[in-house]
Every structure is written in structure tokens, then in C-alpha cells.
Amino acid sequence: MDTIDNDELLSIRAAELYYDENKTQDEVGAILKLTRWKVGRLLASAKEKGFIRIEIVHPRARKLTLERTLCERFGIRDAIVVPAAGTQGADDLRARAAQAAADYLASLRPVPRVLGVSWGRTLHDVAEHLSEGWATGVNVVQINGGVSVNQRAGTAAATAFEIARKASGQATLLPSPAILERLETKRSIEADRTVGGVLGMAADASAYLYSAGVAGHDSALVESGYLTPNDVDELVRRGAVGDVVGRYIDAAGMIVDPSLNERTVGLSLDTLRRATTSVAVIAGAGKIPVARAVVTSGLCTVLVTDEATALALLDTGS
Amino acid sequence: MDTIDNDELLSIRAAELYYDENKTQDEVGAILKLTRWKVGRLLASAKEKGFIRIEIVHPRARKLTLERTLCERFGIRDAIVVPAAGTQGADDLRARAAQAAADYLASLRPVPRVLGVSWGRTLHDVAEHLSEGWATGVNVVQINGGVSVNQRAGTAAATAFEIARKASGQATLLPSPAILERLETKRSIEADRTVGGVLGMAADASAYLYSAGVAGHDSALVESGYLTPNDVDELVRRGAVGDVVGRYIDAAGMIVDPSLNERTVGLSLDTLRRATTSVAVIAGAGKIPVARAVVTSGLCTVLVTDEATALALLDTGS
DNA sequence: CGCCGCTCTGCTCATATGAGCAGAAACCAC
DNA sequence: GTGGTTTCTGCTCATATGAGCAGAGCGGCG
């Protein structure tokens, strides 16, 4: 064990009296037999060396410095980072991110007239955290295929309806499976006036709100039966780090399986990249690779994430 | 989810700018369009509600407020509480407590000429954390029986020798098993001039340093072969919360099995209670019950423990 | 051994924040 | 609607802390 110098230990003693006992620097000096100027330097030194940790513990807290650094590093318009401090596990963290996304959505100006939304657990959480009347007259349109083949919360319909209802708007669903087995069938569905109209509406939306899926067996696409676990393993072998609106991308943000992509119904990634406002809500340790792919390949203009993911994104970016 | 009032959210925003961004209260006010006095009140409110957490993260840090409260509540002379912040698991926490115990021992005045010590993992840690020359001329005497029947670190001999060596003193071992099977054999060993002399020296020590054992199967006494797991189960059934210098006590600090106690070699609990300086080092979640028994029944004059144990002791004390 | 350069210190003055007060605003009861 | 009470606000003055400076002290080199 390295011996620490006397000043380091003095700085800890001074910090204990100053922060824990609420003594003034003068009082700390009297107790430790030092001048108040020396005490001030010791406290500054303790802070500089990271021995003092000041955290803001609240469900609505943000990490402003990380937010600014993410914007500068990745050229995105906004970043919202929720802190790790005081969270109890992954669910709490996702709730925090969902709350932050809901707050951001409510603060968007001008209010989006048409909001394109994806579906999944995270989007469901955001819908729940939006307050009643978060806006007025927002029409919500579903941007990736998928109808509820099971009863779990987070279905496309439930999510879109909830967001629209709370904004006194209407929800437009995309009445199509997420992925078709045959390219011809997919083209027929897209050519249908009803589905084609929804896809056109999705393409013209003024803002988008979506999450990303991890490239794993618990993916919503696997649980919904569109892909098998073997399908996902193959996609991972080909470099997939996750999916955005049902489309699997690699670390560079490129489609890993063009054939699968062709059979996938919903907003294209090119259209998403051209959007003026696209809010990606991506939090949790398992989503770091896909978060990185999203921010580095222009797939979002706003990222809502957690502190650990933000630090991971910034750690290897240089 | 309860709606929080606007001031609570404002206080979080203000705290982020003040603590994370290092803005002055004037600057925070300009940004949030508030007066600096309002900002000051918001920050004070955030602190009062516990949204601001200031922690001192250092191996030598202490929790002075908890220490004072423990002394007042339990009437002990000194309490040393090491913080949980920044520790990586139970081993790190025990190392912190051992370091704090070593620091305290080195600061004892007058320097104890004869120090009675117990043995076990915690005492071994303390021995390791003591610095060379922590004192001069301290003779160390073993206060509970037990010779090393296995090779692990923490044996009585190794611990006592290490503490004595670092203080340029001598170690006196107690050449006896911890527990004898027959009362007659125990009495014979105690009557032997050599063992009797060591026990006398132990009874007359100027200070004591010991830890407590949990009442479980991984007890040092079980691992050393003095007791079987069934023996310990029976002791627990009878109310044992742990052992002090090899003697099992209940929540009130009373011996739970007088017959076993009679066959146990070493310092008696009555002698320990009469000591002017007895330092108990008891840290870790599993040791809360025995820590409480020790401090409430006059078995120590100084307690070295961790933050969680301190909070647990104070939580139900009223 | 002396000199030079760097670091540390105590201090003065400026800045930042807190305490307490007076007045305004909000709320409640009649 | 009015009056009284409580809470909140902006402010003044006091206190606490920071910035920058001059001098002391320490260490290294010639």
C-alpha cells in the first residue's frame, strides 16, 4: 500500500469537517490548527483529485456536462443524459430515461403536428411518462410494422394510442406485419392504398420518436415471432449490433442484410436520416453498441440516454 | 406517479447548473430567470430534501456525524465509522475498517504496554494495515485459545507476531486449544504454570483489540475444528448472534451455553467488560446482530465499524 | 556554500453566499 | 368580499470563500 502524504490525509479530514459537519473553513482551520487559506487549498485539492463526489439524486436529474460533450462530439442537436446515482437497477434507469424523453417531447417547439413513433418496451415507458395534455393536436403515426400477436404491454397500437390520446390527437396504425416472408408479398402490401397512405404519412412526419433494439434473443422481433433466435444469431455473425425501426444495423450504421431489409415494412433508414427531428431513446448497458451506431451514422438528431452509456460513447470516441 | 411541484424541478435544474456546471448563484439565476436569492433557497431546499449527495470517497475517510451519534447513543468512548461510498464489495469494506482500526491503534495515548489481541480474518487485516513503527515497545498477548491447525492467513500466531513486530515488541501466545472437550482438561491446562501465566498477562493487559465472529458455518471456530456446524446451529437455536473471543453471546450480550463457556480457554467476557480500553472491529452486513450485542452490553469502549452497520445500529435503537 | 528557480504560504481585496428583515402575495375563514 | 395569518420574496448587511500577489522557504545546481 502506497503511503499517502500528510496533505492528502489532511484534505480528507478537512473535507469531513467542512462537508459532513458543516463547519466553515475558519472553524476547520481552528480544529486542525491550520490557516483558513490552507484549509481552502486542501478542500480544492480534495475536489480536484476526485475525493469529493457531489451527485444530484432525483428522478428528473440530468448530466449537463455529458450532454454538451455528446453534442460536440457527435454533432447531434440535443443530448439528454440521466444520471446513474440513486437508481435501483435497470428498470429504474429505463424509467428515468423514459421520463426525460417525455419531458423533451413536451418541450419540443414547434409542436410536431405528425409524430412518427416506433414500438417496444422503451416507447411504452415513454408513453406512460408523458403527462396528460403534454401537447395539443399531435397526430401519431406508427413507423414500423407489427401488430400485437401477444397481449403484453408495449404493443404498437397501445403505445401510439396512448401518446396521441395524451395530446388530444389521433393515432394512425400501420396495418402490416413487421417483416414479410416473400418480397412480392411485401411489395403488394406497400402498394395497397391503405398501407401506402400510412407509409406516406410516416415519411412526411415532422418528428420521430423511437428506440433501438438489442441484437439478442429477447428482441421484440423474436418475441413477436418475426425472427427466430437462429435468424438473430446469423445477423450478429454478420455484424449486427441492434435494430432501428425493425432494421438491423452494424456498428457503422449500415444495413447488414439487404434481403431482410427489403422485406421489412416501415420507415426506411434513409428517410430517418433526412428527418429534421428524430429522438432516439436508448438506455441500458446492453444497448451501448447500437447507441454508438445510431449517433455516429446520423440516425438521430436527439439522443436520450443514461450516464453509463454516455460515458461509454465518449470513452472510445477519441 | 405523484406530480412534483414546479419548485422541486427548478431546484434540480438549479443544482445541475450550480454543482455540475460550476455556475454562481447569480449566473444560475440569469439562466433560469430567477433572482439569486430564489436560487439560494432552491439549492438549500434540494439539499434539505436529500437531492444533493456529497460524499467523501477515500480509503481513509470517516463518517464523523455517525461516529458522534454512536457514542451518544451507546455510551462508548469512541466510534470509528468508515463510509460505504466508493468501496468495491465486502473485502474492500473490511480493508477500510482494518485501516481505520490500525490508525486508531497507532493514535492511542498512552501507548498500551500490553495489548491483548484475538485472532481471525479481521484481526489479520488490522495487523497488515498497521504501519511499521506504529508504536514502540508494545507487547502483544493472545487472549483467546487456538493454535493453527490449518495454514490459512489469520492464525493467532501470525497475527500476534505481526502486530508486535511492527511495534518492536514481543508476542506471547496462548498455547492452548480454544475449546476443550472435557471441563477437567480445561481446568488442568489453566492450572499449568505456563498457560496460567499467559492468562494472567491477558487479564492484566492495558488494552484489547478484537473482532467478533458471526454465528454461522463459516465461523473460524468451525473451520478450525473446535465446533461442528451442528454445534453452531444449536447455539443459534439458543439465541446466539455471534462470538466474542470464542464465547458465544446472545442479543443481550449474555453467554448462551454456560457449559461450552466453561470449557472455552481465554479472556472472560467479565474481564473484557472491566477493561478501560477495548477496541472492537466489527464490519460487514453479517455482523450487525453481534455488533449490536457488543455495544449494548458494555463489551467494548471503542467500536470500529462501517457506515451501513452504524446506520443499522442507530435505526432500531430508539 | 550561495544563488536561482519553483513551490507554498498568509494576506488583502473582491466576489459569492447566508441571515434576517420588511413588505408583498397568497391563502383561508367568516 | 374582507381581514387576518402565513408564506414567500427581494434586499441589505454580514459572513464565508476565492483570486491574485508578495514574500518565505525549500531544493537543486554550480
Side-chain angles (χ1 to χ4, degrees):
Chain A
M1 189 185 76
D2 295 327
T3 61
I4 59 174
D5 66 14
N6 196 44
D7 264 15
E8 181 164 315
L9 195 47
L10 264 180
S11 75
I12 298 308
R13 295 284 86 81
E16 286 158 354
L17 290 164
Y18 187 74
Y19 289 108
D20 289 343
E21 304 293 293
N22 280 315
K23 304 285 188 191
T24 67
Q25 292 182 9
D26 259 336
E27 290 169 337
V28 174
I31 294 170
L32 298 181
K33 296 177 175 34
L34 306 166
T35 63
R36 81 154 177 90
W37 302 281
K38 171 76 173 178
V39 170
R41 290 188 168 99
L42 289 170
L43 292 174
S45 168
K47 222 177 195 183
E48 189 189 333
K49 287 174 178 169
F51 299 145
I52 310 301
R53 179 186 295 170
I54 303 181
E55 292 176 324
I56 301 164
V57 184
H58 189 276
R60 298 304 249 280
R62 301 257 300 270
K63 298 298 267 186
L64 301 178
T65 306
L66 283 175
E67 292 179 0
R68 190 172 46 254
T69 313
L70 280 172
C71 291
E72 289 162 2
R73 176 76 61 85
F74 298 108
I76 52 183
R77 188 171 83 229
D78 272 321
I80 290 89
V81 179
V82 298
T87 54
Q88 322 274 1
D91 286 347
D92 192 17
L93 194 68
R94 198 170 69 236
R96 295 284 185 89
Q99 181 64 71
D103 289 342
Y104 185 85
L105 207 60
S107 75
L108 264 180
R109 293 297 180 274
V111 175
R113 292 294 118 211
V114 178
L115 176 69
V117 303
S118 71
W119 57 270
R121 281 179 289 266
T122 303
L123 259 289
H124 171 72
D125 282 349
V126 177
E128 284 203 333
H129 279 90
L130 278 168
S131 54
E132 301 284 343
W134 65 275
T136 302
V138 175
N139 290 325
V140 176
V141 62
Q142 184 185 336
I143 59 174
N144 53 326
V147 291
S148 46
V149 298
N150 61 28
Q151 295 303 323
R152 69 189 305 150
T155 62
T159 300
F161 277 133
E162 185 77 355
I163 296 174
R165 185 185 65 76
K166 287 181 169 177
S168 307
Q170 291 180 342
T172 305
L173 301 183
L174 182 60
S176 165
I179 302 171
L180 278 302
E181 286 189 353
R182 291 171 64 242
L183 181 53
E184 290 80 5
T185 316
K186 183 256 192 181
R187 281 179 172 152
S188 294
I189 284 202
E190 280 187 328
D192 180 81
R193 184 163 54 252
T194 306
V195 171
V198 175
L199 287 173
M201 186 182 179
D204 291 337
S206 30
Y208 297 99
L209 176 73
Y210 68 94
S211 183
V214 300
H217 289 190
D218 58 348
S219 160
L221 290 167
V222 173
E223 289 177 1
S224 302
Y226 293 108
L227 297 174
T228 69
N230 278 345
D231 290 331
V232 177
D233 287 345
E234 175 61 18
L235 287 163
V236 170
R237 264 204 335 96
R238 294 167 77 162
V241 293
D243 76 282
V244 169
V245 296
R247 300 174 190 277
Y248 280 88
I249 60 174
D250 63 12
M254 307 300 297
I255 293 290
V256 299
D257 184 345
S259 166
L260 176 64
N261 187 60
E262 280 287 297
R263 296 185 283 108
T264 302
V265 180
L267 197 78
S268 74
L269 296 191
D270 285 342
T271 310
L272 191 55
R273 284 194 168 98
R274 287 196 294 270
T276 55
T277 302
S278 47
V279 183
V281 189
I282 315 181
K287 293 192 174 182
I288 291 171
V290 69
R292 186 188 308 284
V294 165
V295 295
T296 56
S297 66
L299 275 167
C300 71
T301 60
V302 180
L303 174 70
V304 183
T305 191
D306 63 282
E307 180 177 2
T309 300
L311 289 169
L313 293 179
L314 294 168
D315 190 33
T316 54
S318 298
Chain B
M1 188 187 72
D2 295 325
T3 62
I4 60 177
D5 65 14
N6 197 44
D7 264 14
E8 181 165 313
L9 194 47
L10 264 181
S11 74
I12 298 307
R13 293 286 85 83
E16 286 158 354
L17 290 163
Y18 186 75
Y19 289 108
D20 289 342
E21 304 293 292
N22 281 313
K23 304 287 188 191
T24 67
Q25 291 180 11
D26 259 336
E27 290 169 335
V28 174
I31 295 171
L32 300 179
K33 296 177 175 38
L34 306 165
T35 64
R36 79 152 178 92
W37 301 281
K38 174 75 174 178
V39 171
R41 288 189 171 97
L42 288 170
L43 292 174
S45 167
K47 222 176 194 181
E48 186 188 337
K49 286 172 176 168
F51 299 144
I52 309 301
R53 177 187 292 168
I54 304 181
E55 292 175 325
I56 302 165
V57 184
H58 191 275
R60 297 302 248 282
R62 301 257 296 272
K63 298 298 266 185
L64 301 178
T65 307
L66 282 176
E67 292 179 0
R68 190 171 49 250
T69 313
L70 279 172
C71 291
E72 290 162 0
R73 176 75 61 84
F74 297 109
I76 53 183
R77 190 171 81 230
D78 272 322
I80 290 89
V81 178
V82 297
T87 54
Q88 322 274 0
D91 286 349
D92 193 16
L93 194 69
R94 198 171 66 238
R96 296 282 185 92
Q99 180 64 70
D103 289 342
Y104 185 86
L105 208 59
S107 76
L108 263 180
R109 294 294 180 276
V111 176
R113 294 293 119 213
V114 179
L115 177 69
V117 303
S118 71
W119 57 270
R121 279 180 289 268
T122 304
L123 259 289
H124 171 71
D125 283 348
V126 178
E128 285 204 330
H129 279 90
L130 277 169
S131 55
E132 300 284 343
W134 65 275
T136 303
V138 174
N139 291 325
V140 176
V141 61
Q142 184 184 337
I143 58 174
N144 53 326
V147 291
S148 45
V149 298
N150 62 26
Q151 295 301 326
R152 71 190 303 146
T155 62
T159 301
F161 276 134
E162 184 77 353
I163 296 175
R165 183 186 66 76
K166 285 180 168 176
S168 308
Q170 292 179 343
T172 304
L173 302 183
L174 182 61
S176 165
I179 301 172
L180 279 302
E181 284 188 355
R182 293 174 58 243
L183 181 54
E184 289 79 8
T185 316
K186 183 256 191 183
R187 281 177 173 154
S188 294
I189 283 200
E190 279 186 329
D192 179 82
R193 184 164 51 255
T194 308
V195 171
V198 176
L199 287 172
M201 186 181 180
D204 290 337
S206 30
Y208 296 100
L209 175 72
Y210 68 94
S211 185
V214 299
H217 290 190
D218 58 349
S219 161
L221 290 166
V222 172
E223 289 177 1
S224 301
Y226 293 108
L227 297 173
T228 68
N230 279 347
D231 291 331
V232 176
D233 289 341
E234 174 62 18
L235 287 163
V236 170
R237 263 203 337 97
R238 295 168 74 163
V241 294
D243 75 281
V244 169
V245 297
R247 300 175 191 277
Y248 281 88
I249 58 174
D250 63 12
M254 306 303 298
I255 293 291
V256 298
D257 183 344
S259 165
L260 176 63
N261 187 59
E262 280 287 299
R263 295 186 282 108
T264 302
V265 179
L267 198 79
S268 74
L269 295 191
D270 285 341
T271 308
L272 190 56
R273 283 194 169 98
R274 287 197 296 268
T276 54
T277 302
S278 48
V279 182
V281 189
I282 315 181
K287 292 192 175 183
I288 291 172
V290 69
R292 189 190 306 285
V294 164
V295 295
T296 56
S297 66
L299 275 167
C300 73
T301 59
V302 180
L303 174 70
V304 182
T305 191
D306 63 281
E307 180 177 0
T309 301
L311 288 168
L313 294 180
L314 293 168
D315 190 32
T316 54
S318 298

